[in-house]
Amino acid sequence: MGWRLHRRNYDPEFYFRGPARFVPDQPETGVLYLAPDEVNATFAFIGGLKVIRSSDLERYILSELRFPTPLRLIDLTSRDIPRMGFPLRELVESEDYTLGQDFATVALESGFDGIAFPAGPGRLFAVFGEVGSTRYAKVARDTLIPDEILKKLGVEVLPDPESGSRRVGVS
């Protein structure tokens, strides 16, 4: 279903509650951001960074999560999906998250499990769930960030003298 880049010492399935774009206005509901592939998951974390230390990179891992049943997502990347009167540009680009949170609340109350939305070079998924870490999804696999993804995103990995890492000069 989706990929998440996260700290190694944390559970990959964590439903966040706080100031974020698609967090529904329901105190017990949080959001888990996922990507359809490793490239988009890495981009969501790294963003526009062009340089990262190998020791920082080694603290993270990519996890592929699978859910036991298909999720019902409102797909904001599709031209065919009604947006219930919400303007797309403001939903995904505004620095004020209020509109996105209102949209997430309507989506949740309408029976959707989350929202697929355009982000960076592709799209991301905001999946709704009970706040905190749960065991609803299954980790299909964990992997380090592949060097070819870092290269594709134009990220250079700097050596860290203390770590002895060999993941250097990927870009």
Side-chain angles (χ1 to χ4, degrees), residues 2-7 10-14 16 32-35 37 41-42 61-65 142:
W3 288 85
R4 180 159 189 252
L5 182 64
H6 62 96
R7 286 187 177 263
Y10 292 121
D11 188 336
E13 187 181 11
F14 184 84
F16 172 76
L32 168 68
Y33 287 100
L34 297 174
D37 55 45
T42 303
I61 193 159
L62 279 164
S63 294
E64 181 184 16
L65 297 176
D142 290 322

Side-chain angles (χ1 to χ4, degrees), residues 17-36:
R17 177 100 195 129
R21 185 170 313 281
F22 293 116
V23 175
D25 187 23
Q26 294 189 7
E28 70 285 350
T29 303
V31 66
L32 168 68
Y33 287 100
L34 297 174

